[in-house]
């Protein structure tokens, strides 16, 4: 570990008790961040920051209040404890409000302690030097090569203590192609990993998307409106899956607005589709050993072969809903299938390679509509042309049922991992 | 603190800024009477940004003492040298803003009990008045950005800019699933400055519930290109997403199509659109800014004047690269963030047309009342979500529509504008914009009749 445990959280818990807490907890995160930002010409910013954020929760006779501060300036720590206590006093009593009892884990230590900034810089320089030959028409904006080291500590007045450190690299590229008057849409991709990326082109499928971007200078809409297939890319799923996971979560169950609320044990998706929550996964740099109540996390299936096995229910909602706690954090992994991407494309009579969804937030019923960005038209098993001004509309409940292929290829983004997923029954339209 | 930053900034070895920055926020969130969030947060610290050979070095720490200030300056300097940029031609603008802009409430602060009571009583009122609802969410939130900034050119300024919002969301069960609608009240100022008492809220809730009831009875809109009237409540997001982002100079440098159209007619001559300092042209926007986070005094920027694309939005660096003068668009969200090119109060100027005439002029189309999220693109293709709207048939409002998304290519769509309303509306609650960092913005405009593409399964 990079820093010794101190008594900061114990001090907070003691002061919270002095302020009238019947129970209290504190979660502290110390973060060191380093970033090289560049565009297609050169590095334009190097940024390093330090921060320490502490979230204090005070419980008072079944009522709960919170305050978050950063740093350790004594007067601000005292003010935050007082504010949390005052908020708790003003709160609404609920029997679900309490701190957790759980086993304290041995401290977790994941990933490198610090960045090698010279090596990171060398990778950026190599990337920029090779870009004109690899992708002469690409323009980059706000590309970030980063390293983050974060130590997280938890303590509550039941004596529960947790601690973990995670260090990892991140790369994010935003890019477009321009050739005279022809301009593509922006595209962006990135991911995180423990170690430095072997090549920035290989980070989370960035190279594939850059090649697709250059193929997108000539774009046109689909003709008219049709109901067809979509091959949803892993990058597109990063935007779509939170809506589906949200509908499977404790807050949605409390609202009573989830279309899946009574469907545990039922088939809600194609048998080809399996979704796991995997916060302990060794290849998720942004996983977690414990959640915001200090409860150890665990991996478990959410949807297995299309059947809803469990919901994402954290500590508070498990008490509120009378359910077992399953997940205090969310790290989604859709299991790979047995079809190659090329075979998936070959199997589409009429549809699109759906690479990014730019649309209104899906509603409670999981209806969605939006523009298919950075996407391609597929006809008779061939990728034909890049799309513009093309909208997709459908419903995620139905889309899950209509999945007919899942790819072997998977992209790991560092906090989630997805394959390509092919489904039918989506309305695709242009003007 | 300001004196310390001014003294230190004067000693910087190159152009640079020093900033102490705090974000103060609070949030109370209730779902079906269950209090899910009830607290406040404060995030503050020091940052330094130094310019060296065409690149910047930045460093920040969660502290306010002299030793930490010296340390962040040293780290920023080291980072600037490590950035190893190439010497840039021309210097950065030296315009230096000053002044104190303190908008904290003059009213007595509400206690924690009083804030929770606003939410609790509102929840009770809604659930007793509208018993058939599946869910009720109420969120009362505030955010204030407090900054002290000095730069090596002599800028020295303090600001405290608060906003507050009340969001109410209701859900009902329709024949084909759950239907939800939300609306937002509030804007500039602290919670104490808003009118969140029950007497003021009753007609607003009634309108929200009536729109929800009609939405539940409504249907999917027909996908495709349609004549629409965008209510003035949507005009802000149109100004922000369709035009504003496309005209941010960092995106122009990256290849945005706006760069190819400066000086050209890109919209109907009825369209004038600007990005404003202060609190916008009428002084009533949900956001205020007088000096930006590079120390540049804020000036208004005419982006489109009578349909002609006139200017882009700059920070010091993009202005240097494109031979322009910055007008105060460099903004950072927190002490850990460097200033980026951002919009401030972006709006379309009002015209002379009546909303009723616009609706009456459409034989078959849609009246779109409220928006959700939005996105822009380098191609000027934009989209934003719509959660409340109605069909127009033969010049009259018809059945409500379910959630949809509208899109268009801004520089094409704005040429289809035939009417610009005599009404004007700043987006309630204030807008937030995401671009590396999230940041508060003001957005506004009048109702507009134009042609856009709607998504839908109908």
């Amino acid at each position: 570990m990079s820093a010794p445990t101190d008594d900061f959280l114990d001090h907070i818990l003691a002061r919270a008790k002095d302020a009238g807490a019947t129970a209290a907890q504190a979660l502290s995160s110390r973060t060191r961040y380093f970033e090289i930002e560049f565009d297609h010409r050169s590095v334009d910013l190097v940024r390093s920051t330090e921060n320490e954020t502490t979230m204090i929760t005070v419980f008072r006779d079944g009522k709960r209040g919170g305050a978050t501060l950063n740093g350790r300036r004594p007067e601000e720590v005292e003010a935050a404890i007082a504010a949390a206590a005052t908020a708790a006093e003003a709160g609404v009593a609920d029997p679900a409000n309490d701190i957790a009892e759980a086993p304290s884990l041995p401290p977790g230590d994941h990933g490198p302690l610090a960045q090698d900034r010279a090596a990171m810089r060398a990778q950026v320089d190599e990337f920029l030097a090779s870009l004109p030959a690899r992708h002469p028409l690409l323009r980059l904006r706000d590309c970030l090569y980063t390293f983050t080291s974060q130590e997280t500590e938890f303590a509550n007045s039941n004596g529960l203590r947790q601690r973990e450190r995670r260090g990892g690299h991140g790369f994010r590229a935003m890019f477009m192609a321009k050739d005279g008057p022809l301009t593509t849409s922006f595209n962006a991709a990135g991911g995180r990993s423990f170690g430095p990326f072997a090549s920035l082109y290989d980070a989370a499928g960035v190279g594939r998307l850059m090649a697709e971007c250059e193929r997108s200078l000539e774009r046109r809409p689909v003709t008219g409106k049709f109901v067809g297939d979509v091959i949803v890319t892993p990058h597109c799923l990063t935007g779509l899956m939170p809506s589906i996971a949200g509908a499977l979560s404790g807050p949605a169950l409390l609202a009573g607005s989830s279309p899946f609320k009574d469907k545990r044990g039922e088939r809600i998706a194609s048998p080809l589709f399996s979704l796991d929550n995997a916060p302990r996964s060794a290849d998720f740099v942004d996983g977690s050993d414990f959640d915001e109540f200090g409860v150890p996390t665990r991996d478990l299936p959410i949807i297995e072969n299309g059947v809803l096995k469990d919901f994402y229910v954290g500590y508070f909602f498990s008490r509120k809903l009378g359910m077992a706690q399953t997940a205090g954090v969310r790290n989604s992994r859709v299991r790979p299938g047995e079809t190659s991407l090329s075979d998936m494309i070959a199997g589409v009579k009429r549809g699109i390679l759906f690479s990014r969804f730019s649309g209104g937030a899906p509603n409670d019923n999981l209806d969605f509509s939006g523009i298919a960005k950075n996407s391609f038209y597929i006809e008779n098993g061939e990728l034909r042309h890049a799309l513009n001004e093309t909208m997709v509309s459908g419903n995620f409940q139905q889309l899950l049922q209509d999945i007919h292929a899942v790819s072997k290829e998977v992209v790991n983004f560092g906090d989630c991992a997805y394959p390509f997923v092919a489904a039918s029954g989506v309305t695709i339209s242009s003007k | 603190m300001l004196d310390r930053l001014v003294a230190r900034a004067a000693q910087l070895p190159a152009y640079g800024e020093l900033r102490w920055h705090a974000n103060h926020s609070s949030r109370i969130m209730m779902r079906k009477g269950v209090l899910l969030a009830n607290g406040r947060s404060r995030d503050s610290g020091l940052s330094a940004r130094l310019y060296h050979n065409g690149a910047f070095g930045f460093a920040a720490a969660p502290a306010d003492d002299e030793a930490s200030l010296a340390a962040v300056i040293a780290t920023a300097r080291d980072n600037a040298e490590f950035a190893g940029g190439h010497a840039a031609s021309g210097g950065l603008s030296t315009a230096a803003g000053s002044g104190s802009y303190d908008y904290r409430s003059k009213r007595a602060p509400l206690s924690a009990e009083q804030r929770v009571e606003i939410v609790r009583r509102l929840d009770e009122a809604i659930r007793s008045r509208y018993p058939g609802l599946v869910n009720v969410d109420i969120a009362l939130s505030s955010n204030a950005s407090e900054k002290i900034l000095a730069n090596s050119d002599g800028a020295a300024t303090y600001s405290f800019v608060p906003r507050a919002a009340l969001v109410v969301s209701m859900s009902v069960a329709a024949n084909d699933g759950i239907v939800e609608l939300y609306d937002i009240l509030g804007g500039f100022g602290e919670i104490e400055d808003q009118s969140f008492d029950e007497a003021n809220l009753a007609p607003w809730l009634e309108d929200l519930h009536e729109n929800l009831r009609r939405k539940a009875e409504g249907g999917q809109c027909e996908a495709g290109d349609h004549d629409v009237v965008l209510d003035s409540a949507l005009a802000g997001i149109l100004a922000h997403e369709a035009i504003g982002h496309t005209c941010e100079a960092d995106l122009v440098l990256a290849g945005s199509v706006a760069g190819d159209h400066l000086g050209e007619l890109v919209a109907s001559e009825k369209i004038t659109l600007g990005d404003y300092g202060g609190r916008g042209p009428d002084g009533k926007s949900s956001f205020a800014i007088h000096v930006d986070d590079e120390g540049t005094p804020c000036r208004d920027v005419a982006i489109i004047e009578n349909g002609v694309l006139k200017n882009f939005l700059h920070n010091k660096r993009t202005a240097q690269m494109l031979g322009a003068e910055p007008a105060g668009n460099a903004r950072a969200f927190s002490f850990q963030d460097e200033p980026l090119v951002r919009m401030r109060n972006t709006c379309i100027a009002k015209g002379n047309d009546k909303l009723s005439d616009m609706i009456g002029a459409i034989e078959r189309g849609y009246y779109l009342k409220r928006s959700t999220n939005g996105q822009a693109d380098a191609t000027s293709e934009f989209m934003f979500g719509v959660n409340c709207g109605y069909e127009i048939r033969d010049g009259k409002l018809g059945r409500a529509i379910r959630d949809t998304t509208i899109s268009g290519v801004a520089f094409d769509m704005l040429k289809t504008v035939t009417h610009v309303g005599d009404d004007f509306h700043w987006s309630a609650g204030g807008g937030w914009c995401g671009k590396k960092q999230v940041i508060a913005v003001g957005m506004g405009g009048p109702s507009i009749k134009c042609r856009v593409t709607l998504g839908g399964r109908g």
Side-chain angles (χ1 to χ4, degrees):
Chain A
M1 305 293 285
S2 62
T5 302
D6 57 31
D7 60 358
F8 181 54
L9 298 191
D10 290 326
H11 167 75
I12 287 172
L13 297 181
R15 294 292 297 129
K17 192 174 179 187
D18 294 343
T22 48
Q25 64 178 39
L27 181 70
S28 173
S29 295
R30 273 173 278 183
T31 307
R32 286 182 292 107
Y33 175 79
F34 175 76
E35 167 190 296
I36 301 173
E37 181 187 293
F38 58 98
D39 64 15
H40 53 280
R41 292 169 290 248
S42 60
V43 170
D44 51 33
L45 174 76
V46 171
R47 182 165 77 109
S48 50
T49 65
E50 293 176 18
N51 202 6
E52 179 176 16
T53 301
T54 304
M55 188 163 63
I56 302 165
T57 309
V58 166
F59 298 82
R60 204 162 173 163
D61 302 322
K63 298 186 285 186
R64 181 172 66 168
T68 302
L69 79 155
N70 73 326
R72 294 187 178 193
R73 293 167 291 269
E75 67 280 10
E76 291 179 15
V77 174
E78 290 301 313
I81 294 166
T86 305
E89 180 62 25
V92 176
D94 192 310
N97 279 329
D98 202 354
I99 56 174
E101 286 191 34
S104 298
L105 303 169
D109 196 26
H110 313 277
L113 285 167
Q115 74 274 11
D116 179 344
R117 73 174 195 171
M120 289 173 69
R121 178 58 192 259
Q123 280 193 282
V124 169
D125 289 343
E126 188 279 331
F127 182 83
L128 287 175
S130 64
L131 187 71
R134 294 176 75 140
H135 300 296
L137 301 176
L138 276 196
R139 307 266 190 107
L140 308 183
R141 182 75 216 160
D142 295 341
C143 294
L144 309 175
Y145 195 17
T146 66
F147 180 84
T148 307
S149 177
Q150 185 169 71
E151 273 185 85
T152 307
E153 292 184 51
F154 176 91
N156 75 15
S157 51
N158 277 345
L160 176 58
R161 299 285 183 278
Q162 308 287 14
R163 188 157 189 248
E164 72 168 321
R165 188 199 61 81
R166 287 177 179 268
H169 295 75
F171 178 61
R172 179 183 178 278
M174 182 174 167
F175 47 90
M176 58 176 291
K178 192 163 177 64
D179 190 11
L182 298 176
T183 300
T184 71
S185 290
F186 278 119
N187 203 343
R192 303 214 331 114
S193 75
F194 286 113
F197 296 99
S199 158
L200 297 185
Y201 288 105
D202 296 334
V206 165
R208 178 179 66 80
L209 294 181
M210 286 184 162
E212 287 182 1
C213 185
E214 280 194 318
R215 290 180 56 194
S216 303
L217 281 159
E218 301 277 2
R219 287 166 296 129
R220 58 182 189 274
V222 298
T223 306
K225 179 170 71 175
F226 66 96
V227 176
D229 285 2
V230 289
I231 298 176
V232 187
T233 69
H235 297 83
C236 192
L237 277 175
T238 61
L240 302 182
M241 282 303 296
S243 296
I244 296 169
L248 294 168
S249 69
L253 297 176
L254 174 63
S257 57
S258 169
F260 304 120
K261 62 181 185 291
D262 302 318
K263 298 199 173 170
R264 182 152 61 179
E266 294 182 25
R267 186 174 300 287
I268 65 163
S270 155
L272 298 173
F273 186 82
S274 293
L275 168 69
D276 296 318
N277 190 34
R280 305 303 287 261
S281 173
D283 59 355
F284 281 165
V285 62
D286 292 320
S288 300
D289 292 352
F290 53 89
D291 65 17
E292 63 177 348
F293 281 84
V295 178
T297 56
R298 60 191 172 101
D299 295 351
L300 82 167
I302 301 295
I303 300 172
E304 195 151 43
N305 302 324
V307 175
L308 179 60
K309 305 296 278 187
D310 239 318
F311 296 98
Y312 297 94
V313 179
Y315 179 74
F316 172 80
F317 287 100
S318 73
R319 290 171 61 86
K320 186 69 195 168
L321 299 167
M323 302 170 72
Q325 174 168 3
T326 53
V329 296
R330 220 187 279 165
N331 291 97
S332 297
R333 180 195 296 281
V334 173
R335 293 182 207 164
E338 296 179 349
T339 312
S340 68
L341 173 60
S342 56
D343 286 346
M344 288 170 83
I345 293 170
V348 173
K349 188 170 183 193
R350 194 175 185 209
I352 65 171
L353 180 66
F354 187 19
S355 297
R356 181 161 67 92
F357 176 73
S358 175
N363 60 18
D364 285 340
N365 204 38
L366 296 180
D367 296 320
F368 65 90
S369 70
I371 310 172
K373 290 277 189 182
N374 313 115
S375 299
F376 289 82
Y377 179 61
I378 306 172
E379 190 174 291
N380 295 327
E382 287 183 13
L383 271 185
R384 295 294 173 93
H385 59 83
L387 294 168
N388 66 352
E389 298 189 71
T390 296
M391 299 195 86
V392 291
S393 305
N395 176 278
F396 285 129
Q397 296 179 67
Q398 192 59 47
L399 187 139
L400 286 173
Q401 298 278 6
D402 291 342
I403 290 169
H404 56 76
V406 178
S407 76
K408 296 174 183 171
E409 298 92 339
V410 173
V411 176
N412 180 356
F413 296 95
D415 61 346
C416 59
Y418 299 123
F420 295 81
V421 172
S424 53
V426 173
T427 302
I428 299 163
S429 61
S430 65
K431 287 182 178 179
Chain B
M1 173 68 82
L2 180 58
D3 291 343
R4 283 167 51 203
L5 296 189
V6 167
R8 281 283 192 167
Q11 298 166 4
L12 293 174
Y15 169 76
E17 305 121 19
L18 305 177
R19 174 163 43 99
W20 175 87
H21 192 157
N23 281 325
H24 313 263
S25 61
S26 71
R27 181 171 165 80
I28 297 169
M29 197 270 168
M30 182 170 274
R31 168 164 289 181
K32 283 176 146 174
V34 179
L35 204 54
L36 296 180
N38 175 26
R40 54 151 246 191
S41 75
R42 185 177 189 279
D43 174 73
S44 69
L46 286 163
S47 72
R49 189 178 72 143
L50 270 67
Y51 185 66
H52 175 75
N53 278 351
F56 286 97
F58 181 96
D64 56 11
D65 59 283
E66 200 62 28
S68 297
L69 178 58
V72 296
I73 292 170
T75 305
R77 183 176 183 173
D78 178 54
N79 284 343
E81 289 169 359
F82 180 72
H86 304 291
S89 58
L92 301 175
S93 166
T94 58
S98 63
S100 178
Y101 308 95
D102 189 345
Y103 290 103
R104 74 186 69 227
S105 181
K106 305 285 191 293
R107 298 171 190 235
L110 294 178
S111 67
E113 288 86 351
Q114 288 171 310
R115 292 178 180 219
V116 171
E117 195 62 8
I118 291 173
V119 173
R120 200 187 59 74
R121 291 177 66 174
L122 188 55
D123 176 71
E124 280 182 2
I126 292 170
R127 291 199 290 155
S128 65
R129 198 174 304 165
Y130 311 114
L133 297 173
V134 171
N135 186 43
V136 178
D137 282 349
I138 303 167
L140 176 65
S141 63
S142 66
N143 176 272
S145 177
E146 183 178 17
K147 299 177 192 178
I148 301 170
L149 180 123
N151 76 11
S152 54
D153 291 327
T157 186
Y158 169 84
S159 62
F160 184 97
V161 179
R163 303 203 308 179
L166 176 68
V167 183
V168 172
S169 174
M170 304 180 191
S171 302
V172 292
N175 290 337
D176 55 349
I178 302 293
V179 175
E180 176 194 18
L181 186 62
Y182 70 86
D183 203 1
I184 305 173
L185 276 184
F188 195 76
E190 300 191 65
I191 290 174
E192 292 77 12
D193 300 314
Q194 315 297 325
S195 301
F196 292 153
D197 56 273
E198 278 180 86
N200 279 325
L201 295 178
W204 177 66
L205 293 174
E206 194 60 34
D207 180 66
L208 176 61
H209 184 260
E210 176 61 12
N211 278 306
L212 173 65
R213 187 189 65 76
R214 296 186 62 181
K215 183 177 175 180
E217 292 173 354
Q220 299 283 339
C221 67
E222 187 183 336
D225 211 25
H226 295 281
D227 288 325
V228 300
V229 174
L230 305 179
D231 188 88
S232 59
L234 271 77
I237 198 166
L238 178 73
H240 181 96
E241 299 293 351
I243 297 298
H245 276 302
T246 315
C247 294
E248 291 170 331
D250 54 340
L251 300 187
V252 170
L253 283 162
S256 155
V257 292
D260 300 328
H261 294 293
L262 196 63
E264 295 178 9
L265 194 71
V266 296
S268 156
E269 292 179 4
K270 292 190 169 204
I271 294 291
T272 289
L273 185 155
D275 182 74
Y276 297 87
R279 287 186 60 196
D282 63 355
K284 295 178 179 173
S285 173
S286 61
F287 171 69
I289 181 169
H290 300 273
V291 179
D292 78 3
D293 294 333
E294 291 181 329
T296 301
C298 292
R299 290 184 291 109
D300 298 341
V301 178
I303 298 176
I304 294 176
E305 226 168 52
N306 300 321
V308 176
L309 182 61
K310 291 287 192 179
N311 290 291
F312 301 135
L313 306 177
H314 289 281
N315 59 17
K316 284 178 185 280
R317 182 77 172 114
T318 65
Q320 176 202 49
M321 295 170 83
L322 292 174
E325 270 299 310
N329 286 90
R331 303 176 53 207
F333 173 66
S334 84
F335 78 94
Q336 299 185 81
D337 295 322
E338 78 282 15
L340 308 176
V341 177
R342 304 306 294 253
M343 284 174 262
R344 303 163 301 180
N345 298 297
T346 313
C347 65
I348 297 171
K350 68 181 180 181
N352 301 310
D353 297 308
K354 301 290 181 196
L355 178 62
S356 56
D357 292 341
M358 297 186 208
I359 293 170
I362 291 180
E363 192 176 324
R364 187 178 177 85
Y366 294 95
Y367 169 48
L368 306 175
K369 286 188 73 172
R370 290 187 196 129
S371 63
T372 56
N373 57 321
Q375 262 183 16
D377 200 348
T379 58
S380 91
E381 188 178 22
F382 67 94
M383 79 82 201
F384 50 89
V386 172
N387 67 356
C388 184
Y390 290 86
E391 291 178 347
I392 301 174
R393 295 291 181 265
D394 299 321
K396 293 187 171 56
L397 295 184
R399 69 171 187 164
I401 59 170
R402 297 289 175 80
D403 303 89
T404 187
T405 297
I406 72 168
S407 73
V409 174
F411 292 159
D412 296 338
M413 184 279 285
L414 287 176
K415 289 174 183 164
T416 71
V417 172
T418 57
H419 298 64
V420 176
D422 61 359
D423 48 357
F424 186 95
H425 191 120
W426 289 105
S427 296
W432 291 92
C433 172
K435 176 185 168 186
K436 192 176 180 190
Q437 312 151 17
V438 69
I439 210 154
V441 293
M443 307 185 286
S447 47
I448 283 170
K449 178 179 168 292
C450 60
R451 200 163 174 82
V452 297
T453 304
L454 273 72
R457 287 177 287 154

